[in-house]
mmCIF file of all heavy atoms in Angstrom:
data_model
loop_
_atom_site.group_PDB
_atom_site.id
_atom_site.type_symbol
_atom_site.label_atom_id
_atom_site.label_comp_id
_atom_site.label_asym_id
_atom_site.label_seq_id
_atom_site.Cartn_x
_atom_site.Cartn_y
_atom_site.Cartn_z
ATOM 1 N N ASP A 1 -49.022 -19.877 -41.743
ATOM 2 C CA ASP A 1 -49.589 -21.183 -41.526
ATOM 3 C C ASP A 1 -50.104 -21.777 -42.876
ATOM 4 O O ASP A 1 -50.109 -21.123 -43.871
ATOM 5 C CB ASP A 1 -50.610 -21.266 -40.444
ATOM 6 C CG ASP A 1 -51.925 -20.620 -40.752
ATOM 7 O OD1 ASP A 1 -52.208 -20.354 -41.987
ATOM 8 O OD2 ASP A 1 -52.670 -20.385 -39.835
ATOM 9 N N ALA A 2 -50.541 -23.008 -42.788
ATOM 10 C CA ALA A 2 -50.976 -23.700 -43.959
ATOM 11 C C ALA A 2 -52.226 -23.112 -44.652
ATOM 12 O O ALA A 2 -52.376 -23.323 -45.815
ATOM 13 C CB ALA A 2 -51.252 -25.173 -43.587
ATOM 14 N N ASP A 3 -53.042 -22.412 -43.871
ATOM 15 C CA ASP A 3 -54.236 -21.742 -44.334
ATOM 16 C C ASP A 3 -53.993 -20.364 -44.904
ATOM 17 O O ASP A 3 -54.958 -19.659 -45.343
ATOM 18 C CB ASP A 3 -55.267 -21.705 -43.218
ATOM 19 C CG ASP A 3 -55.756 -23.051 -42.830
ATOM 20 O OD1 ASP A 3 -55.751 -23.969 -43.699
ATOM 21 O OD2 ASP A 3 -56.010 -23.263 -41.559
ATOM 22 N N GLY A 4 -52.677 -19.941 -44.931
ATOM 23 C CA GLY A 4 -52.398 -18.603 -45.453
ATOM 24 C C GLY A 4 -52.642 -17.496 -44.418
ATOM 25 O O GLY A 4 -52.616 -16.276 -44.775
ATOM 26 N N VAL A 5 -52.825 -17.895 -43.184
ATOM 27 C CA VAL A 5 -53.014 -16.841 -42.071
ATOM 28 C C VAL A 5 -51.636 -16.422 -41.654
ATOM 29 O O VAL A 5 -50.789 -17.245 -41.331
ATOM 30 C CB VAL A 5 -53.882 -17.388 -40.925
ATOM 31 C CG1 VAL A 5 -53.906 -16.387 -39.781
ATOM 32 C CG2 VAL A 5 -55.239 -17.746 -41.430
ATOM 33 N N LEU A 6 -51.350 -15.110 -41.572
ATOM 34 C CA LEU A 6 -50.042 -14.596 -41.238
ATOM 35 C C LEU A 6 -50.066 -14.083 -39.788
ATOM 36 O O LEU A 6 -50.992 -13.374 -39.409
ATOM 37 C CB LEU A 6 -49.661 -13.506 -42.145
ATOM 38 C CG LEU A 6 -48.275 -12.860 -42.049
ATOM 39 C CD1 LEU A 6 -47.160 -13.924 -42.149
ATOM 40 C CD2 LEU A 6 -48.079 -11.791 -43.044
ATOM 41 N N SER A 7 -49.069 -14.475 -38.977
ATOM 42 C CA SER A 7 -49.008 -13.991 -37.584
ATOM 43 C C SER A 7 -47.778 -13.301 -37.349
ATOM 44 O O SER A 7 -46.708 -13.612 -37.802
ATOM 45 C CB SER A 7 -49.075 -15.215 -36.666
ATOM 46 O OG SER A 7 -50.265 -15.967 -36.807
ATOM 47 N N VAL A 8 -47.870 -12.134 -36.550
ATOM 48 C CA VAL A 8 -46.664 -11.377 -36.201
ATOM 49 C C VAL A 8 -46.846 -11.058 -34.656
ATOM 50 O O VAL A 8 -47.827 -10.613 -34.229
ATOM 51 C CB VAL A 8 -46.613 -9.984 -36.898
ATOM 52 C CG1 VAL A 8 -45.397 -9.187 -36.428
ATOM 53 C CG2 VAL A 8 -46.588 -10.169 -38.396
ATOM 54 N N ARG A 9 -45.786 -11.511 -33.922
ATOM 55 C CA ARG A 9 -45.802 -11.386 -32.478
ATOM 56 C C ARG A 9 -44.542 -10.715 -32.023
ATOM 57 O O ARG A 9 -43.501 -10.920 -32.511
ATOM 58 C CB ARG A 9 -45.963 -12.774 -31.804
ATOM 59 C CG ARG A 9 -45.879 -12.710 -30.282
ATOM 60 C CD ARG A 9 -46.044 -14.108 -29.649
ATOM 61 N NE ARG A 9 -45.882 -14.033 -28.245
ATOM 62 C CZ ARG A 9 -45.956 -15.055 -27.425
ATOM 63 N NH1 ARG A 9 -46.192 -16.248 -27.961
ATOM 64 N NH2 ARG A 9 -45.780 -14.864 -26.143
ATOM 65 N N ASP A 10 -44.702 -9.792 -31.035
ATOM 66 C CA ASP A 10 -43.515 -9.191 -30.385
ATOM 67 C C ASP A 10 -43.620 -9.364 -28.881
ATOM 68 O O ASP A 10 -44.754 -9.672 -28.346
ATOM 69 C CB ASP A 10 -43.410 -7.739 -30.738
ATOM 70 C CG ASP A 10 -44.577 -6.904 -30.244
ATOM 71 O OD1 ASP A 10 -44.642 -6.666 -29.052
ATOM 72 O OD2 ASP A 10 -45.396 -6.404 -31.042
ATOM 73 N N ASP A 11 -42.541 -9.154 -28.183
ATOM 74 C CA ASP A 11 -42.494 -9.258 -26.737
ATOM 75 C C ASP A 11 -42.446 -7.886 -26.058
ATOM 76 O O ASP A 11 -41.754 -7.634 -25.039
ATOM 77 C CB ASP A 11 -41.404 -10.195 -26.229
ATOM 78 C CG ASP A 11 -40.032 -9.637 -26.575
ATOM 79 O OD1 ASP A 11 -39.905 -8.743 -27.467
ATOM 80 O OD2 ASP A 11 -39.052 -10.195 -26.108
ATOM 81 N N GLY A 12 -43.143 -6.915 -26.688
ATOM 82 C CA GLY A 12 -43.065 -5.567 -26.248
ATOM 83 C C GLY A 12 -44.118 -5.229 -25.171
ATOM 84 O O GLY A 12 -44.505 -6.174 -24.411
ATOM 85 N N ARG A 13 -44.539 -4.024 -25.121
ATOM 86 C CA ARG A 13 -45.417 -3.676 -23.939
ATOM 87 C C ARG A 13 -46.854 -4.151 -24.114
ATOM 88 O O ARG A 13 -47.602 -4.188 -23.098
ATOM 89 C CB ARG A 13 -45.448 -2.103 -23.816
ATOM 90 C CG ARG A 13 -44.083 -1.441 -23.407
ATOM 91 C CD ARG A 13 -44.053 0.017 -23.598
ATOM 92 N NE ARG A 13 -44.005 0.324 -24.982
ATOM 93 C CZ ARG A 13 -43.886 1.655 -25.467
ATOM 94 N NH1 ARG A 13 -43.846 2.580 -24.572
ATOM 95 N NH2 ARG A 13 -43.849 1.871 -26.823
ATOM 96 N N GLY A 14 -47.222 -4.456 -25.341
ATOM 97 C CA GLY A 14 -48.647 -4.889 -25.576
ATOM 98 C C GLY A 14 -49.541 -3.648 -25.742
ATOM 99 O O GLY A 14 -49.421 -2.601 -25.140
ATOM 100 N N ILE A 15 -50.419 -3.745 -26.716
ATOM 101 C CA ILE A 15 -51.365 -2.621 -26.978
ATOM 102 C C ILE A 15 -52.273 -2.480 -25.719
ATOM 103 O O ILE A 15 -52.774 -3.346 -25.145
ATOM 104 C CB ILE A 15 -52.353 -2.994 -28.130
ATOM 105 C CG1 ILE A 15 -51.487 -3.245 -29.401
ATOM 106 C CG2 ILE A 15 -53.328 -1.891 -28.419
ATOM 107 C CD1 ILE A 15 -52.262 -3.650 -30.634
ATOM 108 N N PRO A 16 -52.370 -1.155 -25.292
ATOM 109 C CA PRO A 16 -53.324 -0.940 -24.087
ATOM 110 C C PRO A 16 -54.645 -1.485 -24.271
ATOM 111 O O PRO A 16 -55.250 -1.433 -25.369
ATOM 112 C CB PRO A 16 -53.298 0.608 -24.067
ATOM 113 C CG PRO A 16 -52.037 1.040 -24.690
ATOM 114 C CD PRO A 16 -51.810 0.008 -25.827
ATOM 115 N N VAL A 17 -55.219 -2.028 -23.154
ATOM 116 C CA VAL A 17 -56.574 -2.639 -23.232
ATOM 117 C C VAL A 17 -57.567 -1.877 -22.309
ATOM 118 O O VAL A 17 -58.723 -2.308 -22.292
ATOM 119 C CB VAL A 17 -56.425 -4.132 -22.817
ATOM 120 C CG1 VAL A 17 -55.629 -4.898 -23.864
ATOM 121 C CG2 VAL A 17 -55.807 -4.300 -21.456
ATOM 122 N N ASP A 18 -57.127 -0.899 -21.618
ATOM 123 C CA ASP A 18 -58.072 -0.251 -20.695
ATOM 124 C C ASP A 18 -59.049 0.597 -21.485
ATOM 125 O O ASP A 18 -58.831 0.918 -22.629
ATOM 126 C CB ASP A 18 -57.278 0.676 -19.637
ATOM 127 C CG ASP A 18 -56.174 1.485 -20.399
ATOM 128 O OD1 ASP A 18 -55.504 0.918 -21.254
ATOM 129 O OD2 ASP A 18 -56.120 2.660 -20.098
ATOM 130 N N PRO A 19 -60.153 0.987 -20.866
ATOM 131 C CA PRO A 19 -61.190 1.800 -21.577
ATOM 132 C C PRO A 19 -60.603 3.158 -22.103
ATOM 133 O O PRO A 19 -59.812 3.774 -21.381
ATOM 134 C CB PRO A 19 -62.255 2.037 -20.516
ATOM 135 C CG PRO A 19 -62.066 0.890 -19.530
ATOM 136 C CD PRO A 19 -60.638 0.691 -19.506
ATOM 137 N N HIS A 20 -61.007 3.465 -23.287
ATOM 138 C CA HIS A 20 -60.515 4.725 -23.896
ATOM 139 C C HIS A 20 -61.342 5.859 -23.412
ATOM 140 O O HIS A 20 -62.553 5.840 -23.554
ATOM 141 C CB HIS A 20 -60.509 4.619 -25.414
ATOM 142 C CG HIS A 20 -59.732 5.661 -26.082
ATOM 143 N ND1 HIS A 20 -60.172 6.982 -26.254
ATOM 144 C CD2 HIS A 20 -58.469 5.634 -26.640
ATOM 145 C CE1 HIS A 20 -59.230 7.615 -26.955
ATOM 146 N NE2 HIS A 20 -58.188 6.863 -27.109
ATOM 147 N N PRO A 21 -60.694 6.928 -23.005
ATOM 148 C CA PRO A 21 -61.484 8.076 -22.391
ATOM 149 C C PRO A 21 -62.395 8.790 -23.337
ATOM 150 O O PRO A 21 -63.443 9.286 -22.958
ATOM 151 C CB PRO A 21 -60.392 9.041 -21.855
ATOM 152 C CG PRO A 21 -59.113 8.614 -22.623
ATOM 153 C CD PRO A 21 -59.223 7.112 -22.868
ATOM 154 N N LYS A 22 -62.020 8.794 -24.642
ATOM 155 C CA LYS A 22 -62.878 9.494 -25.590
ATOM 156 C C LYS A 22 -63.874 8.572 -26.338
ATOM 157 O O LYS A 22 -64.677 9.034 -27.161
ATOM 158 C CB LYS A 22 -61.987 10.162 -26.683
ATOM 159 C CG LYS A 22 -61.128 11.316 -26.078
ATOM 160 C CD LYS A 22 -60.406 12.071 -27.163
ATOM 161 C CE LYS A 22 -59.616 13.308 -26.585
ATOM 162 N NZ LYS A 22 -58.865 13.928 -27.700
ATOM 163 N N HIS A 23 -63.855 7.303 -26.049
ATOM 164 C CA HIS A 23 -64.773 6.302 -26.703
ATOM 165 C C HIS A 23 -65.373 5.442 -25.677
ATOM 166 O O HIS A 23 -64.940 4.374 -25.411
ATOM 167 C CB HIS A 23 -64.020 5.493 -27.758
ATOM 168 C CG HIS A 23 -63.483 6.307 -28.912
ATOM 169 N ND1 HIS A 23 -64.210 6.510 -30.109
ATOM 170 C CD2 HIS A 23 -62.356 6.954 -29.089
ATOM 171 C CE1 HIS A 23 -63.606 7.187 -30.923
ATOM 172 N NE2 HIS A 23 -62.412 7.548 -30.306
ATOM 173 N N PRO A 24 -66.374 5.977 -24.949
ATOM 174 C CA PRO A 24 -66.938 5.183 -23.855
ATOM 175 C C PRO A 24 -67.420 3.719 -24.326
ATOM 176 O O PRO A 24 -68.019 3.660 -25.437
ATOM 177 C CB PRO A 24 -68.151 5.996 -23.513
ATOM 178 C CG PRO A 24 -67.824 7.405 -23.901
ATOM 179 C CD PRO A 24 -67.007 7.227 -25.148
#
């Protein structure tokens, strides 16, 4: 974009968002 911010998007599975078992 005009401010030099770079965006990368895919239509894949998406990074998991559920709580991580080893990092409460």
Side-chain angles (χ1 to χ4, degrees):
D1 70 16
D3 296 325
V5 177
L6 185 59
S7 302
V8 179
R9 177 179 174 179
D10 65 70
D11 60 350
R13 292 168 290 184
I15 301 174
V17 294
D18 47 315
H20 195 280
K22 292 186 178 180
H23 294 268

